[in-house]
């Protein structure tokens, strides 16, 4: 459905506060209150939880178009960290901005609810990844999920996509060691399924990788929110 003039104006206003962040420095901090949320315009970001022993679990990676730190303003206190993986540009959104926009444009609230629900669906799938899939299935599923998400924003297709993630980041996301990640990627390459080299994921056998992972993209709801 086409957006009305009022809805378009409201969306433009949400993007008027543009900020840039360098890689490797948290922009949202776990445990802090009064945080802003962001909509990512350029670059890649990871959201993660720190453990008392200093290790971390990456919950997800965000790509252009994704919300960053939405729970930070809805929960008043941030329950996770957000760190740019690359240099990024993002629109900063205050809690007052978002609540005012919801009052003026109720359909925007529906769209944000859809985005939050989609994030939850991905977290559920990531839980299945860590708990029930073996390391090769886990990696295959993760790379295919990124492919589906990037395709939606015009940055990936069945041939592959550019990917700035290091093996250490993959390890923190998939619950593996960096050494194990290296071994898994080598095994998948030797099976003729996928190659991850020099910042590029290349699908050598897309359908074969889908079969290995048991990948079904329906949980990503690529059609977008139901608006009336």
């Amino acid at each position: 459905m086409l957006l009305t003039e009022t809805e378009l104006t409201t969306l433009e206003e949400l993007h008027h506060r543009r900020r840039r962040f360098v890689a490797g420095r948290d922009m949202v901090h776990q445990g802090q209150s009064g945080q802003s949320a962001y909509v990512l315009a350029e670059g890649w970001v990871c959201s993660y939880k720190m453990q008392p022993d200093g290790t971390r679990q990456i919950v997800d990676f965000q790509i252009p178009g994704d919300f960053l730190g939405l729970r930070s303003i809805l929960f008043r206190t941030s329950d996770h960290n957000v760190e740019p993986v690359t240099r990024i540009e993002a629109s900063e959104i205050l809690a007052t901005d978002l609540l005012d926009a919801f009052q003026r444009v109720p359909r925007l609230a529906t769209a944000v609810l859809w985005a939050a629900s989609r994030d939850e669906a991905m977290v559920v799938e990531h839980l299945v990844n860590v708990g029930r899939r073996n390391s090769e299935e886990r990696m295959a599923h993760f790379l295919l999920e990124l492919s589906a998400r990037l395709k939606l924003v015009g940055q990936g297709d069945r041939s592959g996509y550019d990917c700035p993630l290091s093996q250490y980041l993959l390890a923190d996301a998939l619950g593996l060691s960096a050494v194990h990640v290296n071994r898994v990627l080598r095994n998948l390459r030797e099976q003729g399924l996928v190659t991850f080299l020099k910042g590029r994921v290349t699908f050598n056998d897309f359908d074969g990788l889908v079969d290995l992972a048991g990948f079904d993209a329906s949980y990503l709801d690529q059609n977008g929110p139901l608006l009336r």
Side-chain angles (χ1 to χ4, degrees), residues 183-198:
R183 185 182 307 122
V184 170
L185 288 173
R186 184 177 67 247
N187 290 344
L188 292 176
R189 183 177 69 250
E190 290 175 350
Q191 293 174 54
L193 295 172
V194 62
T195 301
F196 190 176
L197 186 64
K198 296 181 179 179

Side-chain angles (χ1 to χ4, degrees), residues 7-214:
E7 290 169 336
L8 288 171
T9 300
T10 301
L11 287 175
E12 288 175 3
E13 290 173 353
L14 286 177
H15 288 278
H16 79 277
R17 194 182 293 109
R18 280 295 186 100
R19 296 187 60 187
R20 292 181 174 86
F21 298 87
V22 299
R25 184 178 300 173
D26 287 350
M27 53 194 291
V28 174
H29 299 270
Q30 184 175 327
Q32 291 191 354
S33 58
Q35 293 275 8
S36 299
Y38 301 86
V39 175
L40 186 59
E42 296 177 13
W44 287 51
V45 169
C46 71
S47 53
Y48 68 95
K49 298 273 288 188
M50 288 300 299
Q51 300 303 304
D53 63 358
T55 61
R56 71 175 180 176
Q57 175 67 48
I58 291 179
V59 179
D60 199 7
F61 295 97
Q62 284 75 38
I63 60 173
D66 287 344
F67 264 105
L68 311 175
L70 181 60
R71 294 196 306 278
S72 301
I73 58 176
L74 297 180
F75 285 0
R76 298 184 179 87
T77 301
S78 176
D79 67 340
H80 65 289
N81 299 279
V82 176
E83 176 189 319
V85 173
T86 65
R87 182 179 177 84
I88 70 164
E89 183 172 326
S91 299
E92 183 179 15
I93 301 176
L94 306 180
T96 51
D97 296 334
L98 199 58
L99 295 176
D100 179 62
F102 287 170
Q103 289 184 330
R104 293 164 55 194
V105 185
R107 292 204 309 175
L108 179 60
T110 302
V112 171
L113 176 61
W114 172 84
S117 299
R118 185 172 181 260
D119 286 347
E120 181 182 359
M122 287 193 290
V123 169
V124 168
E125 202 65 35
H126 298 169
L127 177 62
V128 176
N129 240 5
V130 174
R132 290 299 177 184
R133 294 186 178 108
N134 66 37
S135 57
E136 289 189 359
E137 294 167 346
R138 199 179 304 180
M139 180 67 73
H141 197 281
F142 174 79
L143 296 177
L144 288 165
E145 179 183 274
L146 276 179
S147 173
R149 294 171 62 193
L150 289 165
K151 181 179 179 181
L152 196 62
V153 294
Q155 296 186 14
D157 54 35
R158 284 175 63 97
S159 67
Y161 52 89
D162 293 330
C163 183
L165 305 181
S166 69
Q167 293 188 2
Y168 292 100
L169 289 170
L170 293 175
D172 285 348
L174 299 176
L176 304 170
S177 68
V179 172
H180 198 173
V181 165
N182 183 275
R183 185 182 307 122
V184 170
L185 288 173
R186 184 177 67 247
N187 290 344
L188 292 176
R189 183 177 69 250
E190 290 175 350
Q191 293 174 54
L193 295 172
V194 62
T195 301
F196 190 176
L197 186 64
K198 296 181 179 179
R200 177 76 185 177
V201 173
T202 301
F203 294 122
N204 308 116
D205 182 355
F206 186 88
D207 292 333
L209 200 66
V210 169
D211 289 341
L212 172 66

